[in-house]
Structures are given as C-alpha cells and as structure tokens.
Amino acid sequence: MNHQNSTLSTFARGHVRTLRQQEELPQLRDHLLRLDRESRHDRFHGFMDDSFIEHYAARCADDGTVIIAYVEDGVVHGAAELHPPDQSPDALPEVAFSVEKCVRRQGVGSTLFRNLIWEARAKGYQSLRITTGAQNHAMRALANKFGAHLTFSQGESTGLIDLTSRPQPDLAHSAIAAPAEALHAIVKFNRAYWKMILQMYGWGRTAA
C-alpha cells in the first residue's frame, strides 16, 4: 500500500506518508536538526553536532532506509526509520524514531510505529531491532507497547520485536492510513450491515 497520499483521520492537521528519499531528503535532515538537545541526545544516544546529522540524513537516502514521516503543512515533525538488514552486523533490520516536542502526546509516535511495523511485515522481515538511550523513557514505553523485550547494557536499551508472533495489523493500518472520506464510508457501511443483520434476527427492535 502506498503511504504517499495517505491522510490520518486521527490528526486534525497532519498526515503520515513515506518520504521520497532523494527528493525529500532535506525534510528529514531539517527535522532531525530541529530536535531539542535532549531529544537529539536520546535519538542518537549522545549529543551529536549538526554536521553528523547532515551526514546521517544523506546516508539514509543512499542505503535503502525507508522513512515514514509525520507531516504538518509540508514540514516533517516526526520520523520512523526502517534500516535494511544489510546495514547491520547481525543482518537484522533496525528501527529508529524521532518526534519533535511540538507534536508529542498526540499519538504520533504510536502511529509511526504501527505504520513502520506494517511496512516491515510487507517486506517480509521477521524481526526488528530497536536501540534507545537508557533515559529515553518514552521510547522504551513505546517499544514495550509493540512487543519489544528490552535489555540494558552500556547505557543503552536494546530489544527485538518479533513480527511473526503478532497478527499483521491490516485493519488498524487501514483505519489510520485511509483518507478520511474512505474511512467514513467504511464506518457507514459497517453500521448499515450490522443494522440489517440485527433486524433479520429481530434484535434491532429489542436493542432500540
């Protein structure tokens, strides 16, 4: 499924889509540069200067990394990165997340995580590795929510998400990624369907 034009019904101003890496590289770079000092420290497991971030974003555009972004008014304010397994010494795909403070506590992180897991399953990946700073409590909680079992070592929390043990969230993804008009149509259809079923069995009058 193409994320490019998908609209999030759960957000009044923003939507989620996959960045076209070469054309939209500056948006990822600018988002990472806008992270406050604490967020940048958490994201890169230590404070990194602007030059490092610029090189990092450029590398993501060239190595096959999939970037799923939360966008408001054409500006990326959150990103989920799916790094290919050939970039890892143990041949495991790795994920990373970053959300700017201005859009936190709105479910952006969970939505990005859900879309990224859907993307990883579509690619046939069976597990994902996530690594975050020991003090990044929000990311650790998010990782646990999606089934990661984190262990602490040398100032970092590292864990694996087993994609084979959880059902593919087709319905959840559709509800998030479908345009608002399509989502409303689905809800309307489902209501009409169940109303018909209830009336067939005489339950509709009882429920009313």
Side-chain angles (χ1 to χ4, degrees), residues 69-105:
Y70 173 72
V71 184
E72 285 187 0
D73 299 324
V75 179
V76 172
H77 289 293
E81 305 166 21
L82 177 58
H83 297 268
D86 59 6
Q87 301 297 318
S88 171
D90 54 5
L92 282 176
E94 189 163 2
V95 299
F97 297 83
S98 51
V99 178
E100 295 175 35
K101 280 188 173 182
C102 62
V103 296
R104 289 181 185 170
R105 301 185 183 280

Side-chain angles (χ1 to χ4, degrees), residues 155-168:
E156 294 181 346
S157 293
T158 302
L160 294 179
I161 302 173
D162 183 1
L163 300 180
T164 64
S165 64
R166 299 168 67 87
Q168 185 166 338

Side-chain angles (χ1 to χ4, degrees), residues 146-161:
F146 284 87
H149 302 286
L150 299 176
T151 58
F152 177 80
S153 177
Q154 298 180 345
E156 294 181 346
S157 293
T158 302
L160 294 179
I161 302 173

Side-chain angles (χ1 to χ4, degrees), residues 31-125:
H31 155 65
L32 294 174
L33 288 173
R34 275 195 305 272
L35 294 175
D36 61 273
R37 183 184 180 91
E38 181 181 356
S39 299
R40 190 183 291 195
H41 182 280
D42 287 342
R43 169 60 187 82
F44 294 104
H45 319 307
F47 181 77
M48 300 297 179
D49 61 19
D50 291 357
S51 177
F52 171 86
I53 290 179
E54 290 172 356
H55 283 89
Y56 174 85
R59 187 181 65 187
C60 287
D62 295 330
D63 65 6
T65 296
V66 176
I67 307 294
I68 301 173
Y70 173 72
V71 184
E72 285 187 0
D73 299 324
V75 179
V76 172
H77 289 293
E81 305 166 21
L82 177 58
H83 297 268
D86 59 6
Q87 301 297 318
S88 171
D90 54 5
L92 282 176
E94 189 163 2
V95 299
F97 297 83
S98 51
V99 178
E100 295 175 35
K101 280 188 173 182
C102 62
V103 296
R104 289 181 185 170
R105 301 185 183 280
Q106 300 178 31
V108 172
S110 293
T111 301
L112 288 172
F113 214 129
R114 189 178 294 111
N115 277 265
L116 183 140
I117 287 179
W118 183 90
E119 185 76 30
R121 283 200 172 101
K123 288 182 173 293
Y125 296 152

